[in-house]
Amino acid sequence: MTDFFEFEADFVDSLRCIPMQVRCKLDTCGIKLKLSDWNQMTTAERQALVELPCTTETEIQSYREHIQQLILQRTGIPATKLPIEPYPAWLDSATVPPSLQEKAQEIGVTLTQQHWAGLTPLQRFALIKLSRPGHENQNFKRAIAEFNLL
């Protein structure tokens, strides 16, 4: 999968920031990747992280091993492991996370279960990530608009 969102358009050509699809794969395989580590990778290495699959258990394990090796090679420090959610909210099309609903309401948007179910898992992942406290939230509004939720 190499789908980029419109709200990522200002950096996807250079891959200077970690795109949502890679961030989703990182959460799926339980690895933390700092932007500073990402920026030490070559463009080809970043592109490979975009393109490598990370869906099945075998793919997830392979992706985890690949990113761990890459981080170690580039930084000399082992990758930080994160807990893997057994039932991530972005895969649950039936329930809009309350924290996301609150964030949407702050900008005058009510997310219905039908809206939520109509989104792809990656779109749901992006909204969850973009709605977190402390995140640069300008892209949250852009994502809401891009996903036709206004």
Side-chain angles (χ1 to χ4, degrees):
M1 169 175 56
T2 58
D3 298 325
F4 296 106
F5 295 119
E6 289 175 22
F7 66 81
E8 298 176 306
D10 59 336
F11 66 82
V12 294
D13 287 342
S14 65
L15 289 175
R16 66 176 168 77
C17 292
I18 305 168
M20 280 293 166
Q21 60 185 294
V22 173
R23 292 178 66 187
C24 186
K25 292 173 185 182
L26 293 167
D27 279 19
T28 299
C29 75
I31 297 294
K32 180 172 180 65
L33 177 63
K34 294 182 268 186
L35 184 58
S36 59
D37 297 343
W38 172 260
N39 285 323
Q40 290 187 43
M41 296 177 192
T42 67
T43 302
E45 289 167 339
R46 293 179 204 168
Q47 188 63 43
L49 292 174
V50 168
E51 294 173 3
L52 286 170
C54 189
T55 305
T56 67
E57 282 304 316
T58 302
E59 290 170 349
I60 293 167
Q61 181 61 33
S62 178
Y63 197 90
R64 180 184 305 115
E65 290 169 4
H66 179 74
I67 189 77
Q68 286 174 322
Q69 180 182 9
L70 199 51
I71 291 171
L72 186 59
Q73 284 175 346
R74 291 288 169 227
T75 69
I77 300 169
T80 302
K81 295 180 183 176
L82 297 173
I84 298 172
E85 292 183 50
Y87 305 103
W90 63 87
L91 294 181
D92 179 1
S93 62
T95 308
V96 181
S99 60
L100 175 59
Q101 189 66 271
E102 290 170 19
K103 187 66 182 172
Q105 288 174 349
E106 287 176 17
I107 62 168
V109 173
T110 300
L111 292 177
T112 65
Q113 192 283 322
Q114 291 81 9
H115 287 133
W116 187 246
L119 297 173
T120 67
L122 186 58
Q123 288 172 322
R124 291 192 294 263
F125 174 85
L127 289 176
I128 290 168
K129 286 295 183 186
L130 293 172
S131 67
R132 287 190 168 164
H135 192 278
E136 178 188 325
N137 290 316
Q138 75 179 35
N139 282 338
F140 180 74
K141 293 176 188 173
R142 292 171 64 192
I144 289 284
E146 180 176 340
F147 304 159
N148 299 310
L149 300 173
L150 292 176

